[in-house]
Amino acid sequence: MISHILRDARKYEETMEKQIGKEARPEFHLSARIGWMNDPNGFSFYNGKYHMFYQYHPYDCQWGPMHWGHAVSEDLLHWEYLPVALAPDELYDMDGCFSGSAITLPDGRQLLMYTGMVKERQNVKVAESRDIQTQCLAVGDGIDFEKYKDNPILEEKDLPKGSSKYDFRDPKMWQKKDGSYCCVVGSRPEDGSGQILLYTSTDGFQWNFKSILIKNNNRFGKMWECPDFFQLDGKWVLLTSPQDMLPQGFEYHNGNGTLCMIGDFDEKAGTFQEQYNQSIDYGIDFYAPQTVYTPDGRRVMIGWMQNWDTCGQRTRNVLWFGQMSLPRELSIRNNRLYQLPIRELEAYRFHKVGYQNITFSEVIELEGIKGRRVDIELTVRPADEQNIYHKFAFRFAQNEKYQTSLSFRPREAILKIDRKHSGSRRAIIHQRRSKVNSEDGKLKLRIILDRFSVEVFVNDGEQVMSAILYTEQSADGISFFADGTVNMDIVKYDLIM
Ligand code: FRU
């Protein structure tokens, strides 16, 4: 039996999506079927397909009572929408089914764990009401899900002393080699900052508090949202999205930021010892990433290619809002998280145009290099090593009216993205600078454009900068600029799905 709230949402999205033409969506980034999308949820491989659920408010292009949207894919680039998976239709989740994760049970069913949100209604003024958050389960066959009879399965009584029942969300489960399950959940301790809690289960249904995996101690923002915790290249990695972050040097400029910690996990004690930390993305629009372990042994991450600080920038009356990042293959090198576009993308690269050893010291365009759905690899270096150039710029999504640019100042090793002329409703946040590794003025970039986004992979994935743009599609020019003399190799492919 499905509830009328879920049935209505399913009917609504099926009818309304017809109004959105193919051209009005990204080509290979998953976007909201209709209405609003935020965090990726339940990213998993189930019955031969990748499943991606997402925070979803079908009825508006603004955040609202959260449902779980749903899509599947075989290559993580072509997505097929499935009906809404979860709707806020029970007493324990009536104000929203917040973020969570998915695993496969031994009997072949798919298990979802999500945060049920209910606004506190008793003895409080509406303006002061807060969200009570608990963890809930739903079991299904990859399309239809039944909420578990004993929901919520984790609530206030399962919290360590002093932790807030108002900030307890975003469970990410995984299965251990011995068949038992673990789960990390974001939480807020007494100090008002964040912490990650670890829970364990033998069957996926009965969960017990194990330990505080790690405490923020007010170092990186406040509340830690959307944790993910996994092994990678012999280390353990904690990804989380802290709210209210302040910049530290060139790290953590996003307000609602992203944090990657690399370290060791004491499984017995259930504690994580962090050794290195960094931003996950150094651009403008990226938040709440989640990973999946693929059947061929890759750890692949997708984030919400948007950020709470920037999501006001599109016109209000649109049919969809919110898209996911490109899936990225993760690895650890030099104690850092490296990200590369999934290799599946290479099958869709056509019309190769390349130039080697182009030297220039002004604005140039190159025959055959343009487009808004392209994969570009370029390397720049000084033409004269004794006389390093001052600035190199790559300008794209360009016509007489618009342009977005990536500019690089080798002397400071700063790479800047600037999308102030990219069709946004108003200039809210349109620039981000990042310190990059560059020796003697050399820099390597891979730039991936889809209709409404740019993702820049710096130095073979050492850093990534993501940003969305709404520049009209006819603005497809690309040009290059040098102050000083730059030498460049470049290859461009059209991405055709
Ligand atoms: C992160 C977040 C999560 C929450 C969800 C609600 O973007 O705030 O913590 O579960 O969004 O939509």
Side-chain angles (χ1 to χ4, degrees):
M1 261 291 284
I2 71 170
S3 70
H4 74 90
I5 300 179
L6 182 61
R7 190 173 346 102
D8 289 352
R10 287 182 168 188
K11 214 186 279 169
Y12 183 82
E13 60 173 7
E14 214 187 307
T15 317
M16 292 299 286
E17 74 165 348
K18 299 198 177 87
Q19 297 183 22
I20 306 175
K22 198 172 164 283
E23 314 274 284
R25 290 186 181 280
E27 182 83 4
F28 49 93
H29 289 80
L30 179 65
S31 54
R33 187 169 181 183
I34 183 81
W36 166 277
M37 159 195 277
N38 59 290
D39 316 352
N41 293 160
F43 189 18
S44 53
F45 189 81
Y46 176 72
N47 270 353
K49 286 191 178 164
Y50 293 101
H51 284 246
M52 177 59 90
F53 303 83
Y54 52 90
Q55 288 289 282
Y56 184 35
H57 183 222
Y59 303 111
D60 199 346
C61 60
Q62 316 267 346
W63 190 87
M66 281 293 116
H67 298 57
W68 273 35
H70 191 186
V72 288
S73 175
E74 273 165 29
D75 61 3
L76 294 163
L77 295 167
H78 294 83
W79 292 96
E80 179 197 337
Y81 290 111
L82 292 183
V84 189
L86 300 177
D89 53 12
E90 294 286 348
L91 281 176
Y92 50 81
D93 63 15
M94 59 194 278
D95 293 310
C97 299
F98 276 13
S99 287
S101 53
I103 51 169
T104 305
L105 290 168
D107 63 8
R109 291 178 300 162
Q110 193 175 29
L111 180 71
L112 311 180
M113 195 194 292
Y114 66 97
T115 299
M117 196 276 271
V118 179
K119 283 200 189 307
E120 204 171 34
R121 286 179 172 77
Q122 273 163 358
N123 308 323
V124 279
K125 294 192 197 113
V126 175
E128 288 162 8
S129 81
R130 294 208 269 167
D131 305 349
I132 298 173
Q133 303 181 340
T134 60
Q135 314 319 316
C136 305
L137 297 173
V139 193
D141 59 1
I143 297 180
D144 294 308
F145 297 87
E146 195 175 329
K147 291 183 182 167
Y148 185 49
K149 60 175 184 10
D150 292 336
N151 277 345
I153 46 109
L154 292 174
E155 52 191 327
E156 195 178 357
K157 66 170 176 24
D158 304 295
L159 286 167
K161 197 169 160 285
S163 305
S164 164
K165 64 176 173 178
Y166 304 113
D167 285 297
F168 177 39
R169 59 183 175 272
D170 312 334
K172 172 76 201 258
M173 302 179 277
W174 72 96
Q175 188 172 30
K176 293 202 331 188
K177 283 211 175 72
D178 67 6
S180 69
Y181 304 93
C182 291
C183 165
V184 281
V185 190
S187 155
R188 192 191 290 269
E190 264 162 341
D191 71 3
S193 71
Q195 65 187 2
I196 302 298
L197 306 180
L198 180 65
Y199 292 84
T200 56
S201 170
T202 50
D203 62 359
F205 291 91
Q206 290 251 344
W207 289 85
N208 297 306
F209 174 72
K210 158 93 182 160
S211 54
I212 298 174
L213 183 73
I214 182 172
K215 275 176 170 283
N216 179 3
N217 292 325
N218 277 305
R219 293 169 304 154
F220 300 101
K222 293 287 177 187
M223 169 69 188
W224 283 1
E225 300 190 308
C226 302
D228 196 346
F229 190 54
F230 51 87
Q231 239 174 331
L232 184 67
D233 297 335
K235 301 300 280 185
W236 279 83
V237 177
L238 175 70
L239 306 182
T240 183
S241 296
Q243 294 179 308
D244 310 312
M245 277 193 114
L246 291 173
Q248 298 179 12
F250 279 93
E251 296 286 336
Y252 313 122
H253 281 230
N254 275 12
N256 287 287
T258 55
L259 172 66
C260 167
M261 288 180 165
I262 299 173
D264 294 316
F265 179 36
D266 178 342
E267 258 199 86
K268 214 156 165 224
T271 53
F272 175 61
Q273 287 79 40
E274 136 218 0
Q275 292 167 321
Y276 309 97
N277 68 77
Q278 63 172 96
S279 302
I280 303 173
D281 194 282
Y282 293 80
I284 306 173
D285 302 296
F286 193 84
Y287 198 69
Q290 208 174 66
T291 68
V292 69
Y293 190 66
T294 65
D296 61 359
R298 291 175 287 165
R299 180 61 64 173
V300 172
M301 175 181 80
I302 290 185
W304 180 40
M305 198 159 41
Q306 210 36 274
N307 189 289
W308 293 110
D309 295 70
T310 58
C311 54
Q313 72 113 17
R314 204 179 174 190
T315 36
R316 291 254 154 71
N317 50 354
V318 289
L319 290 166
W320 65 269
F321 181 90
Q323 53 178 313
M324 295 300 171
S325 73
L326 203 63
R328 303 170 182 178
E329 289 180 21
L330 303 184
S331 60
I332 295 178
R333 277 155 62 189
N334 314 320
N335 303 318
R336 283 191 61 89
L337 184 74
Y338 272 65
Q339 305 171 46
L340 284 174
I342 43 154
R343 59 195 72 164
E344 281 81 346
L345 194 67
E346 280 151 41
Y348 306 101
R349 307 206 293 187
F350 298 94
H351 310 148
K352 176 174 177 182
V353 178
Y355 294 87
Q356 291 233 313
N357 255 315
I358 303 272
T359 298
F360 57 102
S361 49
E362 66 212 311
V363 177
I364 59 160
E365 288 178 20
L366 295 169
E367 176 75 38
I369 301 213
K370 62 174 196 154
R372 284 291 291 277
R373 277 160 287 141
V374 291
D375 186 340
I376 290 178
E377 294 171 358
L378 66 84
T379 304
V380 289
R381 54 186 91 78
D384 170 5
E385 275 173 25
Q386 306 311 318
N387 188 12
I388 292 191
Y389 59 96
H390 291 280
K391 181 176 160 184
F392 160 76
F394 173 85
R395 297 172 180 156
F396 58 100
Q398 189 175 28
N399 61 11
E400 311 73 54
K401 194 166 166 203
Y402 296 114
Q403 70 163 44
T404 300
S405 69
L406 279 170
S407 54
F408 176 57
R409 292 183 178 276
R411 292 156 200 246
E412 295 103 60
I414 301 279
L415 180 65
K416 180 173 93 177
I417 183 159
D418 186 334
R419 54 133 183 233
K420 86 169 124 334
H421 305 292
S422 67
S424 57
R425 186 161 61 95
R426 42 178 91 178
I428 298 179
I429 299 174
H430 53 74
Q431 278 190 4
R432 185 78 74 224
R433 272 165 234 265
S434 179
K435 192 107 185 154
V436 296
N437 266 325
S438 166
E439 249 170 59
D440 309 321
K442 206 173 154 210
L443 185 71
K444 191 171 173 194
L445 301 177
R446 181 162 171 203
I447 301 156
I448 296 185
L449 302 184
D450 194 351
R451 285 198 182 88
F452 307 108
S453 62
V454 54
E455 288 162 279
V456 185
F457 296 80
V458 185
N459 293 330
D460 297 308
E462 188 179 31
Q463 278 165 289
V464 190
M465 298 172 89
S466 310
I468 48 131
L469 3 147
Y470 293 112
T471 323
E472 60 196 32
Q473 298 301 309
S474 57
D476 65 351
I478 290 178
S479 64
F480 308 86
F481 166 79
D483 176 1
T485 312
V486 166
N487 181 268
M488 174 176 79
D489 300 333
I490 181 164
V491 181
K492 177 232 70 169
Y493 302 89
D494 290 331
L495 290 169
I496 303 173
M497 293 292 136

